[in-house]
Amino acid sequence: MNSTDLANQHCVARKGSEHALDAAQVRDLLAALPGWSLAPDGKAIAKDFRFEDFHRTLGFINAVGFMANRQDHHPDLEAGYGHCQVLWSTHDVGGLSLNDFICAAKVEALLAP
């Protein structure tokens, strides 16, 4: 599966550990998302995005927020001047689900030329 395939999907409710991805699935899906990495605890994926200034950073945050609300799947965001780190995890499964990778791909699509 590639980034475009992921970005074309929509999040669905995933509750319970049966929706948690195993290490092999996570590794395969991360390969489709350059620059994204697994958090040290293995329960989130993250990427730090860089921008020219705070104004552009806020624009990015607003775009991510709009997309996240449409998907009903929300990231943790850490922002500062010229950067924003996006972290995806699925609390209802206690780790990572396909929703996290779908939304990460959608974030990448926001910045595509």
Side-chain angles (χ1 to χ4, degrees):
M1 186 172 304
N2 64 38
S3 182
T4 302
D5 294 334
L6 286 166
N8 287 332
Q9 295 184 49
H10 295 282
C11 292
V12 297
R14 300 180 199 274
K15 295 183 185 230
S17 61
E18 68 272 12
H19 295 287
L21 300 174
D22 63 34
Q25 292 169 309
V26 169
R27 184 180 57 251
D28 291 345
L29 290 166
L30 269 177
L33 298 167
W36 289 84
S37 61
L38 188 60
D41 67 2
K43 294 185 178 188
I45 56 172
K47 184 173 179 179
D48 195 50
F49 293 87
R50 299 286 172 172
F51 302 95
E52 293 179 29
D53 55 37
F54 194 69
H55 177 75
R56 285 177 176 83
T57 303
L58 287 178
F60 172 76
I61 290 168
N62 285 328
V64 170
F66 181 81
M67 177 277 297
N69 277 333
R70 291 185 53 94
Q71 294 299 313
D72 196 24
H73 192 62
H74 304 93
D76 291 331
L77 302 171
E78 297 178 14
Y81 184 87
H83 80 97
C84 178
Q85 184 180 56
V86 181
L87 297 101
W88 292 102
S89 65
T90 305
H91 304 288
D92 288 338
V93 305
L96 290 164
S97 76
L98 185 58
N99 287 349
D100 302 308
F101 293 89
I102 290 169
C103 286
K106 288 181 180 296
V107 169
E108 292 295 324
L110 291 172
L111 299 172

